[in-house]
Amino acid sequence: MKKFAQFKKFGVKVGTGALLLASGSAFAEGANDAAITAAISSGKSMLETTTGGLIALGAVVFGVTMVVGLLRRG
C-alpha cells in the first residue's frame, strides 16, 4: 500500500515529464528528415560505386586469367 501512495504522489510529475519528452522528440523529427535523406542518398551512391568497382575488378581478373591461359598454351 505504501508503494501505491508513492506512485500516486509522484505520478503527476512523471506523467508531465513523459509528455515533455514525447513532444520534444516530435519537434526533433522534422529536423532529422533532411539528415536521413542525405544519408540514404550517400549510401546509394556508395553502393553504386562499390558495385561498379567490383564488376570492373572481376573483368580485369577474368581478362588477365584469359591472357595468362593463352600464353601458357602457346
Side-chain angles (χ1 to χ4, degrees):
M1 199 65 173
K2 270 185 167 182
K3 294 287 184 187
F4 182 71
Q6 286 178 345
F7 289 143
K8 189 175 178 183
K9 181 178 177 182
F10 295 111
V12 174
K13 293 179 184 176
V14 171
T16 305
L19 180 65
L20 289 175
L21 286 175
S23 62
S25 65
F27 289 132
E29 183 178 341
N32 290 333
D33 286 342
I36 291 172
T37 304
I40 289 173
S41 63
S42 174
K44 285 181 181 178
S45 67
M46 286 185 155
L47 179 66
E48 291 171 359
T49 303
T50 305
T51 305
L54 286 175
I55 290 173
L57 181 65
V60 168
V61 169
F62 178 76
V64 169
T65 305
M66 183 184 287
V67 169
V68 167
L70 290 174
L71 289 175
R72 282 187 181 177
R73 288 184 199 169

